[in-house]
């Protein structure tokens, strides 16, 4: 078999350094051929090997009483009680989505779903965490539209609801957007399947779609910075087919009801290469494959292309010997391609044959155990020397701040994203108990268990930029707070760690500090890390994104029949403010809008306070005392009150006696952590305040719900006086109008119409 010659230029084009190439020669005892070089290239890429992050990821807490499967498999798994398990994971599809937003986002959804159902768990919910550049930046409206349509197109077609997530905008993502996808599935105890190739002589079976040339070197592309030629990389973006994935899902679910298989692995990043090497590596075995038997949809494909293709909707299965035909029959029944392409060996090698000729021979263990592992230099970024403890401003006298509240409500980060949510099917399969923007966390029923799961995705990249340690803590703390507000006890997290180039010392410092903060919060809040993903090289023309360690939190709701949203429930209820407010405007939405460019320390996270607040919320939920619960986060107290009034019920709020030393800006728009707003029946207010005192949580009754106005005052001075209808109009109409080119002023004035949206 003729293969291209290996030259220094060929080696460099595969992203392999001279030192790494020398190590490959040492492992093989000879120079690699072209196919072998390609295999090492993808397996040793940053995306697959985590060569710059493994030394730091070991600092995460990964075990606990509920953890059934931690990091290292296709998805993490926890025990949610009553004989049920939950499998979940979050992954990035950033580079593909910037190059080709529809397919990049769509295949991100498809890939994360396969990670979950490969474990034997039926997917029941998806979330997404999206970061875009400035809304008026070049291509940004096109990217927003394409990503949202891609997520909707895949999730809606396969019939898995997208129930939550987050979308924010910042100029640091102008040249490198982030698309992080989360999926969760459920399984019965004893029904988990792992990606292992054990049992010498067992057949290796390829199932799913045919292999094409799409996605070749996708993993390598995801491990490099963007430059002016990045859009030319479209051939490295995979193309998805949700209808085929639906067939693959159902075929796998049927297969899992049998005892035909010993292991199964999704062909994700690096395709057939990663699935075969990882399965053999976990089992300590070898694999022999005949690549000419792989189903192909294009003529003239080479072994190199077959092994490195990232065509979607494919799985690799190791079946029990003698059960080959049973497996084949199941997948043919579902009209899927299936072929026995090899067998498990005891050689410790993956040997690839092409029409009887040996095309590649690579030892399994060194591909992972001897993959590069770098402890890259880390240095505190110089820009942090300019970060001040507080904003450079003079305190203001109390006066009407309604205009600033309206501007914030109409801003891209704080306005409603219902333009996005209405494109997603959020209720298919009838498990969704709390839809997007109706509660702080999505809530999905686990049918037959009597329980539900609360899901939240959180991170504040601006906080992480200004103080990576505090930002890392805050991402976990806010996710846990959101889950607790929805009635769930935080159980575990998955993460997607999005950063710039690890070759920059300041980026590695951001990375290590975020991990340090996240780890401390996970320990304090009993929420171990069970799965995750690292996405480095999110740079364009040398400019890195803000550090963005997205956290996907799963919490257990013990009673599926008890529901608590974020909106005020009815008139006459008591409004209670939990937690203390401080002068913490650094990194806030108010500061970004009115003091853009100033570097000020973000809010500090006190994990003891966070834990006390969460325990209080869970006790109040258990006693069924809460009518609504909403954490105070981006935008501060005034934004939280406006969101609570979103169902048309206003409130009369008097903040006299709460944080009297703060001026009105810090009081209304500061983003101090460990705070929440509750509404309870008037007769239950004393019980709630007493419970708060027992837990050591500052609490105060600050108002009463009702009427058509949201009124916020202090010492007799009106700070906000606005109709609920006006607040709701601005909040709900802004996003579509901003996408269509309208200004915030036009949104507030009521000029322009949502239905006129045209995405450029």
């Amino acid at each position: 078999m003729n293969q291209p010659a290996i030259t220094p230029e060929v080696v460099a084009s595969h992203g392999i350094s001279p030192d790494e190439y020398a190590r490959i020669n040492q492992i093989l005892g000879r120079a690699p051929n072209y196919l072998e070089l390609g295999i090492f290239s993808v397996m040793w890429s940053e995306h697959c090997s985590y060569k710059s992050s493994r030394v730091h990821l070991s600092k995460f807490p990964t075990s606990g009483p509920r953890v059934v499967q931690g990091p290292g498999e296709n998805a993490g798994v926890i025990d949610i009680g009553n004989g049920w398990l939950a499998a979940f994971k979050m992954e990035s599809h950033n580079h593909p989505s910037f190059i080709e937003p529809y397919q990049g986002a769509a295949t991100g959804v498809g890939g994360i779903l396969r990670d979950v159902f490969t474990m034997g768990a039926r997917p029941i919910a998806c979330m997404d965490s999206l970061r875009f550049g400035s809304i008026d930046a070049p291509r940004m409206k096109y990217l927003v539209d394409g990503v949202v349509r891609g997520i909707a197109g895949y999730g809606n077609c396969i019939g898995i609801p997208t129930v939550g997530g987050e979308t924010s905008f910042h100029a640091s993502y102008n040249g490198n957007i982030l698309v992080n996808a989360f999926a969760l599935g459920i399984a019965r105890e004893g029904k988990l399947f792992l990606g292992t190739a054990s049992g010498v002589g067992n057949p290796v079976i390829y199932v799913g779609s045919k292999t094409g040339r799409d996605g070749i070197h996708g993993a390598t592309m995801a491990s490099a910075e963007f430059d002016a030629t990045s859009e030319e990389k479209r051939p490295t973006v995979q193309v998805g087919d949700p209808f085929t994935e639906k067939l693959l899902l159902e075929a796998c679910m049927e297969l899992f009801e049998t005892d035909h298989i010993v292991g199964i692995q999704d062909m994700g990043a690096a395709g057939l290469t990663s699935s075969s090497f990882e399965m053999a590596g976990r089992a300590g075995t070898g694999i022999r494959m005949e690549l000419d038997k792989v189903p192909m949809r294009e003529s003239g494909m080479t072994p190199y292309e077959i092994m490195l293709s990232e065509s979607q909707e494919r799985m690799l299965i190791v079946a029990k010997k003698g059960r080959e035909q049973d497996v084949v029959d199941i997948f043919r029944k579902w009209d899927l391609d299936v072929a026995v392409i090899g067998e498990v060996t005891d050689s410790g090698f993956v040997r690839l044959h092409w029409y009887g000729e040996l095309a590649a021979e690579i030892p399994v263990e060194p591909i992972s155990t001897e993959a590069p592992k770098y402890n890259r230099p880390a240095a505190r970024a110089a820009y942090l020397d300019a970060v001040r403890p507080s904003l450079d401003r003079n305190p203001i006298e109390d006066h009407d701040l309604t205009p600033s509240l309206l501007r914030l409500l109409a801003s891209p980060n704080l306005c409603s994203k219902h333009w996005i949510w209405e494109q997603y099917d959020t209720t298919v399969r009838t498990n969704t108990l709390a839809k997007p923007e109706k509660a702080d966390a999505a809530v999905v029923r686990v049918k037959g268990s009597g329980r539900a799961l609360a899901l939240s995705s959180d991170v504040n990249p601006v906080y992480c930029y200004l103080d990576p340690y505090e930002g890392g803590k805050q991402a976990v703390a806010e996710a846990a707070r959101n889950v607790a507000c929805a009635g769930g006890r935080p159980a575990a997290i998955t993460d997607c760690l999005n950063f710039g180039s690890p070759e920059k010392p300041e980026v590695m410092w951001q990375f290590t500090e975020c991990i340090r903060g996240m780890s401390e919060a996970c320990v304090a809040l009993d929420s171990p890390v069970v799965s995750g993903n690292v996405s480095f090289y999110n740079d364009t023309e040398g400019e890195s994104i803000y550090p963005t360690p997205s956290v996907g939190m799963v919490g257990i709701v013990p009673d599926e029949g008890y529901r608590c949203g974020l909106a005020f429930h009815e008139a006459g209820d008591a409004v209670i403010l939990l937690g203390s407010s401080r002068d913490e405007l650094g990194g806030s939405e108010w500061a970004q809008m009115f003091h853009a460019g100033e570097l000020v320390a973000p809010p500090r996270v006190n994990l003891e306070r966070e834990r006390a607040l969460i325990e209080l919320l869970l006790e109040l939920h258990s006693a069924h005392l809460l009518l609504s619960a909403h954490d105070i986060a981006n935008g501060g107290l005034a934004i939280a009150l406006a969101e609570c009034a979103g169902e048309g019920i206003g409130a009369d709020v008097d903040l006299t006696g709460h944080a009297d030393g703060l001026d009105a800006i810090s009081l209304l728009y500061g983003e101090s952590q460990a705070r929440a707003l509750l509404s309870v029946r008037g007769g239950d207010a004393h019980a709630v305040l007493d419970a708060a005192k027992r837990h050591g949580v500052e609490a105060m009754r600050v108002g009463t719900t009702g009427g058509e106005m949201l009124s916020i005052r202090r010492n007799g001075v009106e700070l906000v006086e606005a109709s609920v209808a006006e607040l709701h109009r601005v909040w709900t109409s802004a996003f579509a109008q901003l996408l269509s080119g309208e200004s915030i002023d036009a949104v507030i004035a009521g000029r322009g119409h949502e239905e006129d949206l045209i995405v450029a």
Side-chain angles (χ1 to χ4, degrees):
M1 185 182 73
N2 293 324
Q3 298 196 48
I6 305 300
T7 66
E9 292 74 22
V10 169
V11 173
S13 71
H14 281 72
I16 294 174
S17 71
D19 287 345
E20 291 170 355
Y21 184 68
R23 184 68 192 122
I24 292 170
N25 279 262
Q26 186 178 358
I27 288 171
L28 295 178
R30 56 178 170 79
N33 62 33
Y34 189 70
L35 172 56
E36 291 165 339
L37 183 71
I39 289 171
F40 273 100
S41 170
V42 292
M43 291 302 292
W44 283 12
S45 68
E46 192 73 59
H47 192 73
C48 290
S49 74
Y50 294 145
K51 58 189 175 186
S52 299
S53 60
R54 291 204 313 274
V55 66
H56 303 291
L57 296 177
S58 62
K59 300 170 186 175
F60 276 139
T62 58
S63 61
R66 290 195 176 276
V67 177
V68 176
Q69 176 64 57
E73 268 290 343
N74 291 294
V77 183
I78 61 171
D79 185 338
I80 60 174
N82 298 344
W84 288 90
L85 307 175
F88 55 96
K89 190 180 183 183
M90 179 182 277
E91 283 242 6
S92 63
H93 234 225
N94 304 333
H95 285 50
S97 298
F98 186 79
I99 295 169
E100 212 303 298
Y102 184 93
Q103 289 297 346
T107 52
V109 174
I112 200 65
L113 287 171
R114 288 194 302 280
D115 280 339
V116 167
F117 73 74
T118 299
M119 302 294 294
R122 177 175 287 278
I124 63 169
C126 289
M127 295 194 297
D128 54 61
S129 180
L130 310 177
R131 311 288 163 187
F132 296 105
S134 299
I135 202 164
D136 56 354
R139 293 184 76 236
M140 205 53 58
K141 296 179 178 67
Y142 161 76
L143 291 171
V144 172
D145 177 63
V147 165
V148 171
R149 286 191 299 106
I151 293 169
Y154 209 101
N156 295 355
C157 288
I158 196 172
I160 309 297
T162 301
V163 298
E166 53 180 340
T167 301
S168 68
F169 294 79
H170 192 276
S172 81
Y173 306 106
N174 281 358
N176 198 126
I177 65 172
L178 302 184
V179 176
N180 295 173
F182 167 102
L184 175 141
I186 55 171
R188 299 293 297 185
E189 284 183 343
K191 286 290 186 178
L192 280 186
F193 290 82
L194 304 180
T196 182
S198 58
V200 174
N202 280 336
V204 174
I205 304 177
Y206 172 114
V207 302
S209 293
K210 288 181 170 65
T211 293
R213 290 189 171 95
D214 54 318
I216 293 175
H217 269 300
T220 308
M221 179 269 291
S223 306
E225 297 183 29
F226 277 152
D227 55 31
T229 66
S230 292
E231 284 199 69
E232 298 173 8
K233 298 177 181 178
R234 286 179 188 273
T236 63
V237 177
Q238 309 94 324
V239 177
D241 181 353
F243 299 105
T244 298
E245 178 128 333
K246 174 63 174 175
L247 297 176
L248 184 61
L249 165 62
E250 297 304 332
C252 287
M253 290 294 113
E254 181 175 332
L255 179 68
F256 295 149
E257 293 300 316
T258 73
D259 65 347
H260 299 335
I261 68 171
V262 297
I264 181 170
Q265 176 89 1
D266 165 42
M267 291 189 214
L272 186 54
T273 292
S274 62
S275 55
S276 56
F277 276 91
E278 288 173 6
M279 292 181 81
R282 293 187 187 112
T285 58
I287 287 180
R288 180 189 59 79
M289 290 192 293
E290 299 174 56
L291 298 183
D292 49 286
K293 293 184 177 179
V294 170
M296 289 169 267
R297 68 166 179 258
E298 299 182 48
S299 61
M301 290 192 71
T302 66
Y304 181 97
E305 292 170 328
I306 292 168
M307 286 300 292
L308 271 63
S309 168
E310 293 184 10
S311 294
Q312 297 291 284
E313 295 87 41
R314 302 179 301 158
M315 298 280 195
L316 195 65
I317 291 171
V318 173
K320 294 178 180 177
K321 190 171 181 61
R323 304 289 180 84
E324 299 94 323
Q325 193 59 46
D326 296 319
V327 174
V328 168
D329 289 345
I330 288 174
F331 285 91
R332 283 183 176 164
K333 168 190 168 183
W334 289 96
D335 199 25
L336 293 163
D337 281 285
V338 55
V340 178
I341 63 171
E343 65 179 2
V344 177
T345 69
D346 60 1
S347 67
F349 281 76
V350 169
R351 291 191 171 101
L352 307 174
H353 296 264
W354 182 246
Y355 292 101
E357 182 181 349
L358 183 64
E361 183 178 35
I362 298 177
V364 172
E365 185 182 13
I367 204 92
S368 57
T369 61
E370 297 189 38
K373 186 176 182 180
Y374 298 131
N375 190 355
R376 295 189 184 275
R380 184 177 181 272
Y383 72 83
L384 291 169
D385 293 338
V387 175
R388 297 190 303 274
S390 60
L391 277 174
D392 183 16
R393 69 183 188 91
N394 294 318
I396 64 165
E397 295 292 326
D398 286 0
H399 69 286
D400 183 12
L401 293 172
T402 305
S404 60
L405 174 59
L406 291 172
R407 290 194 69 79
L408 285 167
L409 279 174
S411 65
N413 286 345
L414 295 177
C415 67
S416 166
K417 304 304 186 298
H418 84 273
W419 180 86
I420 293 176
W421 298 121
E422 67 186 2
Q423 297 185 58
Y424 301 159
D425 191 334
T426 59
T427 59
V428 64
R429 302 191 67 82
T430 69
N431 293 315
T432 307
L433 301 179
K435 296 173 66 176
E437 298 185 338
K438 298 300 182 183
D440 276 3
V443 182
V444 291
R445 176 193 295 112
V446 180
K447 290 176 181 173
S449 73
R451 298 188 161 198
L453 297 173
L455 317 174
S456 183
S457 172
D458 291 282
V459 67
N460 188 314
V462 176
Y463 291 179
C464 293
Y465 178 75
L466 295 170
D467 189 327
Y469 168 68
E470 291 293 337
K473 284 198 296 184
Q474 193 272 344
V476 176
E478 185 178 350
R481 211 183 310 135
N482 284 332
V483 162
C485 280
R489 175 170 290 281
I493 73 165
T494 182
D495 60 49
C496 193
L497 309 178
N498 308 273
F499 289 80
S501 169
E503 298 170 43
K504 297 177 179 178
E506 62 271 22
V507 169
M508 282 310 301
W509 185 83
Q510 292 171 338
F511 183 76
T512 58
E513 285 294 285
C514 280
I515 285 179
R516 184 167 71 94
M518 292 172 66
S519 298
E520 287 187 16
C522 286
V523 170
L525 302 178
D526 295 328
S527 298
V529 181
V530 298
S531 61
N533 170 240
V534 177
S535 175
F536 275 137
Y537 293 102
N538 290 289
D539 304 76
T540 298
E541 302 290 349
E543 292 295 319
S544 299
I545 63 163
Y546 274 12
T548 312
S550 301
V551 169
M553 172 76 73
V554 175
I556 300 171
V557 181
D559 179 4
E560 70 167 81
Y562 177 64
R563 304 176 195 177
C564 179
L566 64 83
F568 293 141
H569 189 65
E570 58 187 18
D573 296 329
V575 179
I576 295 177
L577 172 58
L578 300 179
S580 57
S581 301
R582 296 171 295 281
D583 183 16
E584 293 184 303
L585 286 164
S588 68
E589 293 294 333
W590 185 89
Q592 292 177 65
M593 176 171 282
F594 297 103
H595 280 250
E598 289 195 37
L599 299 180
V600 181
R604 293 298 183 257
V605 178
N606 183 311
L607 293 172
E608 291 182 4
R609 288 177 182 164
E610 297 286 358
R611 186 179 181 97
L613 176 63
I614 288 168
E615 292 300 329
L616 170 61
L617 288 168
L618 294 175
E619 179 181 313
L620 298 176
H621 276 296
S622 181
H624 290 195
L625 291 174
L626 300 183
L627 300 175
S628 71
H630 187 21
D631 91 311
I632 299 171
N634 292 10
L637 176 57
I639 291 293
L641 283 165
E643 291 170 342
C644 289
E647 296 295 317
I649 297 173
D652 184 54
V653 175
D654 188 345
L655 297 175
T656 305
H658 175 80
D660 286 338
L662 299 181
D663 81 336
I665 296 295
S666 292
L667 179 67
L668 294 185
Y669 304 127
E671 297 182 4
S672 297
Q673 301 296 292
R675 296 186 297 165
L677 276 170
L678 313 178
S679 69
V680 303
R681 297 177 185 86
D684 292 334
H686 285 299
V688 172
L689 295 173
D690 288 344
K693 186 174 182 180
R694 287 198 314 275
H695 284 273
V697 175
E698 182 178 324
M700 176 179 170
R701 178 171 179 168
V702 295
T704 304
T705 63
E708 299 178 352
M709 305 292 290
L710 175 62
S711 175
I712 308 173
R713 64 182 179 278
R714 179 168 66 173
N715 296 321
V717 178
E718 292 289 346
L719 303 179
V720 170
E721 182 73 15
S723 74
V724 171
E726 178 71 355
L727 295 172
H728 187 68
R729 179 192 66 78
V730 170
W731 186 66
T732 56
S733 66
F735 190 65
Q737 292 191 49
L738 294 173
L739 278 180
S740 66
E742 294 284 1
S743 67
I744 288 178
D745 288 332
V747 173
I748 294 171
R751 301 193 303 271
H753 299 283
E754 190 178 340
E755 58 269 22
D756 294 336
L757 172 65
I758 299 176
V759 176

